[in-house]
Amino acid sequence: MVDSKQQWKAWLYLSPAIVLLLVFTAWPIINTLRMAFLENYSGLQEIGGATFNFGIGNFLTVIKYKKFLQCLSNTVGLCITTVPISTILALLIAVALNSIKPLQKILQTIFFLPYVTNSIAIGMVFAAMFNIIGLRPGGGYADTWGIINLAIQAFGGEPINWINAGSNYGPNIIVMIVYIVWNALPFKILVLLGGLQSINKQYYDAAKVDSTSRTRVFARITVPLLSPMLAYVIITGFIGGFKEYSSIIGIFGENMGPAHDAGRLNTMVGFVYDALERDFQGRASAAALILFGIILLVTLFNNHVIKRFTHY
């Protein structure tokens, strides 16, 4: 422990970090709580001298908003779809990488590259891959397609309008699922690969002596011993999934959907940003607290369920 006479030095060294935490973490949280319970709060109106009543009007306004359920359903739908898919794929890839000794470091670097790449830039690339390049004069789609539709045509299929005006909700969601899963893989692979490399090799040696099949080794040794890391990536995956926003902007732009149906793919975070742009800070704060409550409940539920299957 630090000598009581020298504690001032410890506080002095910690003071820059403490000040930054207070200014950029503690105060925004406190201010969000304050604005959420000031009905119809607007920062510009407050500067002009307006006063606001304390109440839960902002929460009721958010819940009654006609597109709130759509934002919530998009967010929940993307979460419950992408988290299991990305976790299973990451586990399989991590196991494969762990068993490949040649070029392992190079392959790890390749798989990790999306994690350090700007998500907006990646979204623009995916938009080009799924996009229809142009339209014929007078209507109809052009014969020039993105790489995905070219691949579909190569196998004898019909091109699909994934993200352009006139596209359906199903293709839009498929594009988002593919993007989010691909973007989530690097971090999960890194965590699971680190967990695999820390497993005691004696378990595998014993299984080899008993001529245990690879499937049984995977199910009875690898997965149980990797369960703490799996629990971590699942919980953080749901937390990140509920905050999904930049990927949709990258692919569909500020409309958060095709031009003919703006806002079709809007999420809870997008709802918060929309409210902020319209100077409805009270509603944005209320929506942020609702999102926080949902994430908290989902995290507690996941933690309760996963705890039963986690072996430390």
Side-chain angles (χ1 to χ4, degrees):
M1 294 181 64
V2 180
D3 186 359
S4 58
K5 295 181 179 180
Q6 302 297 325
Q7 284 188 4
W8 68 271
K9 291 184 179 180
W11 285 109
L12 180 63
Y13 297 145
L14 288 172
S15 59
I18 293 174
V19 170
L20 290 174
L21 285 172
L22 290 174
V23 173
F24 295 104
T25 302
W27 168 244
I29 293 173
I30 295 171
N31 196 37
T32 298
L33 288 169
R34 180 183 71 89
M35 292 187 296
F37 289 97
L38 294 178
E39 297 188 352
N40 297 318
Y41 176 83
S42 169
L44 292 177
Q45 293 180 20
E46 185 180 43
I47 294 173
T51 57
F52 306 93
N53 297 323
F54 183 86
I56 60 172
N58 290 325
F59 294 91
L60 296 177
T61 301
V62 170
I63 294 173
K64 292 178 180 178
Y65 182 63
K66 60 181 180 180
K67 291 189 176 181
F68 171 76
L69 289 179
Q70 183 180 17
C71 296
L72 182 60
S73 62
N74 286 338
T75 304
V76 174
L78 288 173
C79 274
I80 63 177
T81 305
T82 58
V83 173
I85 294 174
S86 60
T87 303
I88 293 171
L89 287 177
L91 176 60
L92 296 177
I93 294 172
V95 171
L97 283 176
N98 192 50
S99 62
I100 298 174
K101 300 306 178 184
L103 303 177
Q104 187 181 74
K105 299 297 182 183
I106 296 176
L107 291 173
Q108 288 179 21
T109 303
I110 292 172
F111 276 106
F112 192 67
L113 281 176
Y115 188 71
V116 295
T117 306
N118 183 276
S119 59
I120 299 295
I122 297 175
M124 295 174 67
V125 171
F126 267 74
M129 290 171 58
F130 285 90
N131 203 4
I132 298 171
I133 304 303
L135 298 174
R136 291 197 186 103
Y141 295 117
D143 295 325
T144 306
W145 312 88
I147 188 172
I148 301 300
N149 275 324
L150 289 176
I152 293 174
Q153 286 180 309
F155 287 96
E158 290 293 327
I160 299 173
N161 184 10
W162 297 99
I163 62 177
N164 292 73
S167 60
N168 295 321
Y169 184 77
N172 295 165
I173 288 293
I174 291 174
V175 174
M176 290 310 310
I177 290 173
V178 171
Y179 171 83
I180 294 171
V181 168
W182 184 82
N183 196 37
L185 282 177
F187 175 74
K188 294 183 178 182
I189 291 173
L190 182 69
V191 173
L192 295 177
L193 187 59
L196 284 169
Q197 293 175 348
S198 66
I199 295 177
N200 194 326
K201 299 299 184 290
Q202 291 181 352
Y203 295 108
Y204 295 107
D205 293 338
K208 188 180 296 184
V209 170
D210 293 337
S211 300
T212 308
S213 65
R214 291 185 177 182
T215 304
R216 190 170 180 82
V217 169
F218 177 78
R220 297 295 184 178
I221 296 177
T222 302
V223 173
L225 294 179
L226 205 59
S227 56
M229 290 74 179
L230 286 170
Y232 173 75
V233 297
I234 289 172
I235 291 174
T236 55
F238 272 101
I239 293 173
F242 274 103
K243 297 188 294 182
E244 198 63 52
Y245 174 71
S246 59
S247 58
I248 302 172
I249 291 291
I251 295 177
F252 292 93
E254 295 181 355
N255 287 332
M256 302 290 283
H260 72 286
D261 192 4
R264 172 193 284 178
L265 296 172
N266 202 1
T267 60
M268 289 296 295
V269 174
F271 182 94
V272 172
Y273 278 111
D274 290 343
L276 289 174
E277 289 179 359
R278 296 197 299 270
D279 195 35
F280 296 142
Q281 288 91 348
R283 298 178 190 177
S285 299
L289 290 181
I290 291 173
L291 179 59
F292 168 77
I294 294 172
I295 293 175
L296 178 61
L297 291 175
V298 171
T299 302
L300 292 175
F301 176 77
N302 283 334
N303 192 42
H304 176 72
V305 173
I306 292 173
K307 190 183 296 183
R308 300 181 179 181
F309 305 98
T310 304
H311 304 274
Y312 293 99

